[in-house]
């Protein structure tokens, strides 16, 4: 099918479902998948629930050594749809999914009813700075750098030389918690004497 589509001479995004089912039977070489498909599902269907989002993110992190090298311009690991604007996630959870899908360079496919979506969810889905991270020209899929004390730290190198960073508080009880970004962990290798940090979510 990939060869037939390429012979048309037209720009076509070819999304494959078979790696999802092949993975259930045996090991999948995602770098080889990227030779034939532009996008491929690597996990089961997402549900409109925070538990489902967390499961997919944890699965992606567990397989990141296989998934990250396969991603690039025209090649995307697909953790399934955004459930932002539906009914299963709180607003904070919607912000978290948007941030993580942007970091993972995941296809941003919406699953909501546009007649019912809230203004807050609409603004989140239309956040141009976050979309720019998702669609950065380097096409690098972000990866989980650190997991400690119920925090996940993800990073994604950008074409500008900057890093996009996502910090997720996985603890579901209690109030807000502080997370210290240690320079030696996060900014090692950046060619700058002074780093500027811009927070994009939940507010700029």
């Amino acid at each position: 099918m990939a060869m037939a589509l390429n012979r048309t001479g037209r720009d076509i995004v070819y999304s494959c479902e078979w790696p999802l089912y092949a993975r259930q039977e045996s090991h999948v070489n995602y770098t080889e998948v990227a030779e034939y498909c532009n996008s491929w599902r690597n996990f089961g269907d997402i549900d409109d629930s925070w538990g489902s989002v967390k499961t997919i993110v944890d699965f992606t992190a567990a397989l990141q050594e296989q998934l990250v090298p396969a991603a690039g311009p025209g090649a995307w690991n697909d953790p399934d749809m955004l459930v932002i604007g539906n009914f299963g996630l709180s607003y904070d959870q919607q912000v978290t999914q948007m941030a993580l899908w942007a970091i993972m360079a995941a296809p941003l496919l919406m699953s909501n009813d546009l007649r019912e979506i809230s203004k807050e969810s609409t603004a989140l889905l239309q956040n141009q700075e976050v979309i720019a991270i998702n669609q950065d020209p380097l096409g690098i899929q972000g990866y989980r750098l650190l997991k400690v004390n119920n925090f996940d730290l993800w990073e994604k190198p950008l074409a500008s030389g900057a890093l996009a960073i996502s910090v997720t508080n996985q603890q579901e009880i209690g109030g807000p918690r502080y997370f210290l970004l240690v320079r030696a962990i996060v900014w090692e290798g950046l060619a700058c004497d002074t780093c500027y940090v811009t927070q994009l979510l939940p507010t700029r």
Side-chain angles (χ1 to χ4, degrees):
M1 179 60 76
M3 290 186 288
L5 292 174
N6 284 336
R7 282 197 296 266
T8 68
R10 300 178 62 183
D11 292 332
I12 299 173
V13 174
Y14 181 32
S15 178
C16 302
E17 192 89 359
W18 64 263
L20 164 63
Y21 302 104
R23 184 186 59 78
Q24 296 171 357
E25 301 297 328
S26 61
H27 174 75
V28 174
N29 185 326
Y30 291 99
T31 303
E32 289 183 0
V33 173
E35 295 178 13
Y36 299 98
C37 308
N38 299 116
S39 176
W40 50 90
R41 287 280 304 283
N42 48 41
F43 197 70
D45 293 344
I46 195 169
D47 295 327
D48 185 17
S49 71
W50 177 239
S52 181
V53 172
K54 282 181 60 177
T55 298
I56 288 174
V57 171
D58 288 341
F59 171 83
T60 301
L63 281 187
Q64 65 185 19
E65 290 186 3
Q66 299 171 43
L67 295 174
V68 171
W76 306 287
N77 295 296
D78 180 9
D80 207 2
M81 298 178 292
L82 294 166
V83 291
I84 296 167
N86 290 317
F87 307 99
L89 303 187
S90 70
Y91 179 71
D92 286 343
Q93 291 166 348
Q94 292 181 62
V95 168
T96 303
Q97 189 191 18
M98 188 69 179
L100 288 169
W101 261 235
I103 287 285
M104 293 190 295
L108 301 180
L109 305 175
M110 299 187 301
S111 62
N112 51 55
D113 184 342
L114 294 177
R115 298 167 299 180
E116 302 290 338
I117 190 170
S118 70
K119 292 181 180 179
E120 292 79 12
S121 295
T122 299
L124 182 58
L125 289 166
Q126 293 179 335
N127 188 312
Q128 294 301 303
E129 290 179 297
V130 177
I131 292 171
I133 290 171
N134 173 267
Q135 300 179 5
D136 183 76
L138 281 184
I140 295 176
Q141 176 171 325
Y143 40 84
R144 187 167 66 189
L145 190 65
L146 183 67
K147 185 178 183 66
V148 61
N149 296 330
N150 287 319
F151 282 106
D152 286 358
L153 174 64
W154 291 69
E155 74 173 14
K156 172 181 167 66
L158 303 176
S160 65
L163 282 176
I165 296 169
S166 170
V167 179
T168 304
N169 176 11
Q170 293 276 17
Q171 184 168 297
E172 296 186 12
I173 60 173
R177 303 164 65 215
Y178 289 100
F179 183 83
L180 179 64
L181 292 176
V182 181
R183 186 182 192 281
I185 294 175
V186 180
W187 290 302
E188 181 180 359
L190 277 185
C192 62
D193 295 325
T194 304
C195 290
Y196 296 92
V197 180
T198 303
Q199 176 181 302
L200 299 181
L201 294 173
T203 56
R204 194 181 197 283

Short mmCIF file of all heavy atoms in Angstrom, two decimals, residues 98-106 130 133-134 140-143 154-156 164-166:
data_model
loop_
_atom_site.label_atom_id
_atom_site.label_comp_id
_atom_site.label_asym_id
_atom_site.label_seq_id
_atom_site.Cartn_x
_atom_site.Cartn_y
_atom_site.Cartn_z
N MET A 98 -2.59 17.67 26.81
CA MET A 98 -2.12 18.52 25.73
C MET A 98 -0.60 18.70 25.80
O MET A 98 0.10 18.62 24.78
CB MET A 98 -2.82 19.88 25.79
CG MET A 98 -2.53 20.77 24.60
SD MET A 98 -3.30 20.14 23.09
CE MET A 98 -2.82 21.40 21.91
N ALA A 99 -0.09 18.92 27.01
CA ALA A 99 1.36 19.09 27.17
C ALA A 99 2.11 17.83 26.78
O ALA A 99 3.12 17.89 26.06
CB ALA A 99 1.67 19.47 28.63
N LEU A 100 1.64 16.68 27.22
CA LEU A 100 2.35 15.43 26.94
C LEU A 100 2.25 15.04 25.47
O LEU A 100 3.23 14.56 24.89
CB LEU A 100 1.81 14.32 27.84
CG LEU A 100 2.22 14.45 29.31
CD1 LEU A 100 1.43 13.47 30.18
CD2 LEU A 100 3.72 14.22 29.48
N TRP A 101 1.10 15.24 24.84
CA TRP A 101 0.99 14.92 23.42
C TRP A 101 1.89 15.85 22.59
O TRP A 101 2.46 15.43 21.59
CB TRP A 101 -0.47 15.01 22.96
CG TRP A 101 -1.19 13.69 22.90
CD1 TRP A 101 -1.84 13.19 21.80
CD2 TRP A 101 -1.36 12.70 23.93
NE1 TRP A 101 -2.41 11.97 22.10
CE2 TRP A 101 -2.13 11.64 23.40
CE3 TRP A 101 -0.94 12.61 25.25
CZ2 TRP A 101 -2.48 10.50 24.14
CZ3 TRP A 101 -1.28 11.48 26.00
CH2 TRP A 101 -2.02 10.46 25.45
N ALA A 102 2.03 17.11 23.03
CA ALA A 102 2.94 18.03 22.35
C ALA A 102 4.38 17.57 22.51
O ALA A 102 5.15 17.55 21.53
CB ALA A 102 2.76 19.45 22.88
N ILE A 103 4.77 17.20 23.72
CA ILE A 103 6.13 16.73 23.98
C ILE A 103 6.42 15.46 23.18
O ILE A 103 7.52 15.27 22.66
CB ILE A 103 6.32 16.47 25.50
CG1 ILE A 103 6.40 17.79 26.26
CG2 ILE A 103 7.56 15.60 25.76
CD1 ILE A 103 7.70 18.53 26.13
N MET A 104 5.43 14.57 23.07
CA MET A 104 5.63 13.29 22.38
C MET A 104 5.54 13.41 20.87
O MET A 104 5.64 12.42 20.15
CB MET A 104 4.63 12.25 22.89
CG MET A 104 4.84 11.85 24.34
SD MET A 104 3.85 10.42 24.86
CE MET A 104 2.17 11.04 24.72
N ALA A 105 5.33 14.63 20.36
CA ALA A 105 5.18 14.85 18.91
C ALA A 105 4.09 13.95 18.35
O ALA A 105 4.18 13.45 17.23
CB ALA A 105 6.50 14.62 18.17
N ALA A 106 3.04 13.75 19.13
CA ALA A 106 1.95 12.86 18.73
C ALA A 106 1.00 13.57 17.79
O ALA A 106 0.81 14.79 17.88
CB ALA A 106 1.18 12.40 19.98
N VAL A 130 1.98 25.81 21.97
CA VAL A 130 2.06 24.39 22.31
C VAL A 130 2.02 23.55 21.03
O VAL A 130 2.77 22.58 20.89
CB VAL A 130 0.92 24.00 23.27
CG1 VAL A 130 0.94 22.50 23.56
CG2 VAL A 130 1.03 24.78 24.58
N ILE A 133 5.40 23.39 19.45
CA ILE A 133 6.29 22.39 20.06
C ILE A 133 6.00 21.01 19.48
O ILE A 133 6.90 20.27 19.11
CB ILE A 133 6.13 22.40 21.60
CG1 ILE A 133 6.71 23.69 22.18
CG2 ILE A 133 6.79 21.17 22.23
CD1 ILE A 133 6.41 23.90 23.65
N ASN A 134 4.73 20.69 19.39
CA ASN A 134 4.32 19.40 18.82
C ASN A 134 4.84 19.25 17.39
O ASN A 134 5.30 18.18 17.00
CB ASN A 134 2.79 19.30 18.87
CG ASN A 134 2.26 18.08 18.14
OD1 ASN A 134 1.92 18.15 16.97
ND2 ASN A 134 2.19 16.97 18.84
N ILE A 140 11.54 15.52 16.56
CA ILE A 140 12.01 14.60 17.61
C ILE A 140 10.88 14.34 18.60
O ILE A 140 10.24 15.28 19.08
CB ILE A 140 13.24 15.17 18.34
CG1 ILE A 140 14.42 15.27 17.38
CG2 ILE A 140 13.60 14.33 19.56
CD1 ILE A 140 15.66 15.91 17.98
N GLN A 141 10.66 13.08 18.91
CA GLN A 141 9.70 12.74 19.95
C GLN A 141 10.35 12.94 21.30
O GLN A 141 11.46 12.47 21.54
CB GLN A 141 9.22 11.30 19.81
CG GLN A 141 8.29 10.89 20.94
CD GLN A 141 7.64 9.54 20.70
OE1 GLN A 141 7.32 9.18 19.59
NE2 GLN A 141 7.44 8.80 21.78
N GLY A 142 9.67 13.64 22.20
CA GLY A 142 10.18 13.81 23.55
C GLY A 142 10.22 12.49 24.30
O GLY A 142 9.60 11.50 23.90
N TYR A 143 10.95 12.50 25.39
CA TYR A 143 11.16 11.28 26.16
C TYR A 143 11.13 11.62 27.65
O TYR A 143 11.41 12.75 28.05
CB TYR A 143 12.51 10.65 25.80
CG TYR A 143 13.60 11.66 25.62
CD1 TYR A 143 14.32 12.16 26.70
CD2 TYR A 143 13.88 12.17 24.35
CE1 TYR A 143 15.30 13.13 26.52
CE2 TYR A 143 14.84 13.14 24.16
CZ TYR A 143 15.56 13.61 25.26
OH TYR A 143 16.51 14.58 25.08
N TRP A 154 9.66 15.22 31.39
CA TRP A 154 9.85 14.93 29.97
C TRP A 154 10.57 16.09 29.31
O TRP A 154 10.40 17.23 29.73
CB TRP A 154 8.51 14.73 29.27
CG TRP A 154 7.76 13.50 29.66
CD1 TRP A 154 7.17 13.24 30.86
CD2 TRP A 154 7.49 12.36 28.84
NE1 TRP A 154 6.55 12.02 30.84
CE2 TRP A 154 6.73 11.46 29.62
CE3 TRP A 154 7.80 12.03 27.52
CZ2 TRP A 154 6.29 10.23 29.11
CZ3 TRP A 154 7.37 10.81 27.02
CH2 TRP A 154 6.62 9.93 27.82
N GLU A 155 11.36 15.80 28.27
CA GLU A 155 11.99 16.86 27.51
C GLU A 155 11.96 16.53 26.02
O GLU A 155 11.92 15.36 25.63
CB GLU A 155 13.42 17.15 27.98
CG GLU A 155 14.45 16.11 27.58
CD GLU A 155 15.87 16.55 27.94
OE1 GLU A 155 16.04 17.50 28.72
OE2 GLU A 155 16.81 15.91 27.43
N LYS A 156 11.97 17.59 25.22
CA LYS A 156 11.94 17.46 23.76
C LYS A 156 12.84 18.53 23.16
O LYS A 156 12.56 19.73 23.29
CB LYS A 156 10.51 17.63 23.25
CG LYS A 156 10.35 17.71 21.73
CD LYS A 156 8.87 17.92 21.38
CE LYS A 156 8.66 18.31 19.93
NZ LYS A 156 9.03 17.24 18.99
N ALA A 164 11.84 21.86 25.12
CA ALA A 164 10.50 21.90 25.70
C ALA A 164 10.49 20.90 26.85
O ALA A 164 11.01 19.79 26.72
CB ALA A 164 9.45 21.53 24.66
N ILE A 165 9.92 21.31 27.96
CA ILE A 165 9.92 20.48 29.17
C ILE A 165 8.51 20.35 29.71
O ILE A 165 7.75 21.32 29.73
CB ILE A 165 10.85 21.10 30.25
CG1 ILE A 165 12.29 21.12 29.76
CG2 ILE A 165 10.73 20.35 31.56
CD1 ILE A 165 13.21 21.94 30.63
N SER A 166 8.17 19.15 30.12
CA SER A 166 6.88 18.91 30.76
C SER A 166 7.11 18.25 32.11
O SER A 166 7.85 17.26 32.20
CB SER A 166 6.00 18.00 29.89
OG SER A 166 4.85 17.59 30.59
#
